[in-house]
Amino acid sequence: MLEKCEGIVIRSIDYGESNKIVTLYTREWGKVGVMARGAKKPNSRLSAVTQPFVYGYFLVQRSSGLGLLQQGDIISSMRSLKEDIFLTAYASYIVELTDKCTDEKKPNPFHFELLYQTLNYMNEEYDPEILVNIYELKMLNSLGLYPILDRCVFCGATEGHFSFSIREGGLICHQCLDKDPYHYKISQATVKLLRIFYYMDISRLGSISVKDSTKKELSMIIDAYYEEYSGLYLKSKKFIQSMKNLGDSFT
């Protein structure tokens, strides 16, 4: 039976001489795999619609295993994401993280909207580093991780100066710092942004400008938290880090 879905291409791999196996993240069904026959041929009507990051409507013959992609209509090709190596890297990380954090055929309209909004903002040239930080924080719950960002993990204080404890998984106030000697000292701007990014609806994101020093602190905390608790080691993340290191060596 043919069914229509709204989806985003999060993975596309060659299969045989002319086919592709495509992973879609859809609004209606969650993550699904489909076979796109003949999609590797340049004149195929499935060639354009099976490119990474494409957002569109897909007509799929569903089955218990791989579905069969019959046709697709592109809503947005997310063109900018493919024309800049940095944007390609950040977008690749977003879709790889989505792939690793979600189960097959478990619909989650919230995740679909989050993925679409993030890639769309990136395509419209919002700051990709900040978008990645927001996405990483919002994907933590999918991994069963719930950082404490609204109060001190020890005493529950909601006011005061805060640092971050990887060991305790959240903020610690200035009065409890001695309870984790390995805490990260961070600026209060970073504390504020960690809270905002974790709790905020991304569709409400306006123009945002963050100092480089604050960006470094955000990435440091989020990376350390993921490294400690997520069990994920993604190639796309390593590539972003190598690009940053290369950029730093020229500054």
Side-chain angles (χ1 to χ4, degrees), residues 34-63:
V34 295
M35 174 71 75
R37 288 185 180 148
K40 276 175 67 180
K41 296 176 181 175
N43 60 349
S44 166
R45 58 195 172 84
L46 297 179
S47 177
V49 81
T50 54
Q51 297 299 313
F53 322 130
V54 162
Y55 165 55
Y57 289 111
F58 300 85
L59 196 61
V60 177
Q61 187 174 327
R62 294 186 75 194
S63 69

Side-chain angles (χ1 to χ4, degrees), residues 46-143:
L46 297 179
S47 177
V49 81
T50 54
Q51 297 299 313
F53 322 130
V54 162
Y55 165 55
Y57 289 111
F58 300 85
L59 196 61
V60 177
Q61 187 174 327
R62 294 186 75 194
S63 69
S64 57
L66 275 180
L68 188 61
L69 180 62
Q70 297 287 2
Q71 67 181 69
D73 294 313
I74 296 174
I75 301 170
S76 171
S77 65
M78 303 285 181
R79 184 175 166 184
S80 296
L81 303 185
K82 298 160 194 170
E83 294 178 339
D84 180 297
I85 187 171
F86 291 97
L87 289 183
T88 301
Y90 285 114
S92 296
Y93 174 56
I94 292 291
V95 296
E96 189 180 5
L97 186 58
T98 303
D99 196 12
K100 298 296 184 188
C101 290
T102 55
D103 295 323
E104 294 274 345
K105 300 178 182 177
K106 281 197 175 175
N108 189 324
F110 165 77
H111 274 177
F112 177 82
E113 200 60 39
L114 176 64
L115 175 62
Y116 166 69
Q117 292 279 7
T118 303
L119 292 177
N120 192 49
Y121 280 137
M122 209 174 276
N123 191 55
E124 292 177 353
E125 299 183 1
Y126 279 62
D127 189 323
E129 287 182 81
I130 292 301
L131 289 170
V132 160
N133 288 159
I134 294 172
Y135 199 82
E136 286 175 317
L137 283 166
K138 290 192 173 300
M139 292 304 284
L140 287 173
N141 294 2
S142 300
L143 293 164

Side-chain angles (χ1 to χ4, degrees), residues 5 16 28-29 36 53 57 69 79 118 120 126 130 156 173 178 187 193-194 202 205 207 214 221 224 226 230 236:
C5 68
E28 295 85 354
W29 313 322
F53 322 130
Y57 289 111
L69 180 62
R79 184 175 166 184
T118 303
N120 192 49
Y126 279 62
I130 292 301
C173 73
D178 59 337
S187 70
L193 288 177
L194 282 169
I202 196 171
L205 184 67
S207 60
T214 307
I221 295 300
Y226 262 82
S230 76
S236 52

